[in-house]
Amino acid sequence: MFLKNSKLLIVLSFFTIYIVWGSTYLFNKIAVTAIPAFYMASVRFLISAILILIISKILKLNLKISKKQLINCAVSGFFFLVYGNGVFVWALNYVDSGFAALLAATQPLFVLILLRLIDRKPMQRQSVIGVGLGIIGMYLLVSQKSITTSEGSLLGIFMILTCVLSWAYGGVFVSKADLPKNFFVTTGYQMLFAGLLLLLMSFSFNETMSSPLNWAIEVQFSVLMLIVFGSIIAFTAFNYLLKVVSTEKVATSAYVNPIVALVLGWYFLDEELTIQSIIASVVLLSGVYFITSRKRKVKNVTDTSKT
């Protein structure tokens, strides 16, 4: 059982979603260029779920959950992993990994808007400035001719933004939902549901399926990294943080993820890094800063962890 008030655990969890998730854009891009997106995602999450449930059994964690908790795991698994991640990975066929990471950096903006619509939280002056900068940054990012003239790029951009919206809503949903007490168990059930649904989607789209043993070494390594670090470790840390700190603070991973993804994509995949992209990223991340650094009421941890 995780200690909810452990400062060290919170720091380590933030480090994980900052750095590890930033690198997953690179690994997803490498994998999706060789394996169909939905099939790859289903393999990733099914293996991750099986490993998590086995580890949970060894650690004698309670795997029994209520019907409501099972439904909530399925719902959050869909918003996070099926649509938020599976479709996102599919869209990487049409856009660079670093560019996709910058689009994903708009998550705090979507979270703010959703909180305004759902909880009717009024926007503060800093939030309004942040939203304005975020919109300008997105415009500068997607208005580049070298990007928008690429085949399928506009479709990829649109789908990624819908994925970010799905992920943002999932974060708001999980912060209030009745889920298993243990965050590791929650992750296992979410990934099991997501893996099965993604496998069904792979069949529906007639994707070509191949044995992992036949994949290239770099693809095998990328999927292994996604399973161990991107799924089991990072997503568990993410679920934990959603329960012990505010949703907006968790969304601050949007600061670091794009920088990590841009650097790795440029270094390993020779992805283009234009001056306009750099300017757009500065404006966009400045907007994210204004949104996430605004004054807010202190969150009562004990009230948000429903058991």
Side-chain angles (χ1 to χ4, degrees):
M1 180 68 67
F2 289 116
L3 297 176
K4 296 182 180 179
N5 296 321
S6 172
K7 291 184 179 180
L8 177 60
L9 186 56
I10 291 175
V11 170
L12 290 175
S13 295
F14 268 113
F15 176 83
T16 301
I17 67 170
Y18 281 176
I19 306 301
V20 173
W21 264 353
S23 67
T24 58
Y25 292 94
L26 170 68
F27 296 128
N28 272 312
K29 182 69 174 182
I30 292 174
V32 80
T33 55
I35 314 169
F38 297 134
Y39 173 60
M40 187 276 288
S42 69
V43 171
R44 170 189 174 182
F45 293 131
L46 282 175
I47 293 177
S48 298
I50 292 172
L51 290 175
I52 287 174
L53 294 177
I54 290 175
I55 294 172
S56 298
K57 196 68 176 178
I58 294 174
L59 295 176
K60 297 181 179 180
L61 301 178
N62 185 11
L63 296 178
K64 293 182 180 180
I65 61 174
S66 67
K67 181 179 179 181
K68 184 177 181 180
Q69 290 174 335
L70 182 63
I71 293 174
N72 286 340
C73 282
V75 172
S76 56
F78 173 81
F79 285 116
F80 283 144
L81 305 176
V82 177
Y83 201 100
N85 185 275
V87 177
F88 190 100
V89 172
W90 172 83
L92 286 176
N93 284 299
Y94 305 103
V95 298
D96 289 345
S97 61
F99 179 81
L102 280 173
L103 289 177
T106 59
Q107 183 197 345
L109 188 154
F110 284 102
V111 169
L112 181 67
I113 294 174
L114 286 172
L115 289 175
R116 176 70 180 93
L117 294 174
I118 297 173
D119 294 340
R120 300 195 178 276
K121 290 186 176 181
M123 285 192 185
Q124 300 176 13
R125 182 179 300 177
Q126 280 185 263
S127 298
V128 175
I129 295 174
V131 170
L133 289 173
I135 294 174
I136 294 173
M138 276 196 292
Y139 173 76
L140 290 174
L141 195 62
V142 303
S143 64
Q144 300 178 76
K145 291 183 179 180
S146 60
I147 294 174
T148 55
T149 55
S150 301
E151 185 178 358
S153 60
L154 289 178
L155 174 61
I157 291 170
F158 173 77
M159 294 308 297
I160 284 177
L161 289 175
T162 63
C163 291
V164 177
L165 176 60
S166 176
W167 191 277
Y169 180 77
V172 175
F173 175 82
V174 165
S175 67
K176 302 177 181 180
D178 177 17
L179 293 167
K181 293 181 180 180
N182 189 280
F183 308 102
F184 197 55
V185 173
T186 297
T187 301
Y189 281 113
Q190 288 171 329
M191 290 190 175
L192 180 61
F193 171 82
L196 291 173
L197 185 52
L198 283 164
L199 185 61
L200 180 62
M201 291 172 62
S202 181
F203 277 116
S204 300
F205 284 93
N206 295 316
E207 290 185 340
T208 302
M209 300 183 182
S210 58
S211 170
L213 298 176
N214 297 326
W215 298 345
I217 295 178
E218 63 270 19
V219 176
Q220 292 176 334
F221 176 76
S222 295
V223 175
L224 178 63
M225 294 296 288
L226 288 170
I227 290 172
V228 177
F229 293 98
S231 297
I232 298 177
I233 297 177
F235 199 68
T236 300
F238 175 72
N239 271 314
Y240 167 70
L241 288 174
L242 282 175
K243 286 298 185 182
V244 299
V245 299
S246 67
T247 305
E248 299 98 318
K249 284 186 177 180
V250 179
T252 57
S253 59
Y255 293 139
V256 186
N257 288 171
I259 298 173
V260 174
L262 280 170
V263 172
L264 293 178
W266 167 76
Y267 186 81
F268 289 103
L269 302 178
D270 294 321
E271 293 181 347
E272 185 179 7
L273 188 59
T274 65
I275 297 298
Q276 186 168 336
S277 291
I278 295 175
I279 295 174
S281 64
V282 172
V283 174
L284 182 58
L285 294 179
S286 296
V288 173
Y289 169 78
F290 274 101
I291 291 173
T292 56
S293 64
R294 72 191 191 282
K295 293 181 180 179
R296 59 177 69 88
K297 293 180 179 180
V298 177
K299 184 175 182 180
N300 189 330
V301 174
T302 57
D303 291 340
T304 58
S305 181
K306 300 177 182 178
T307 58

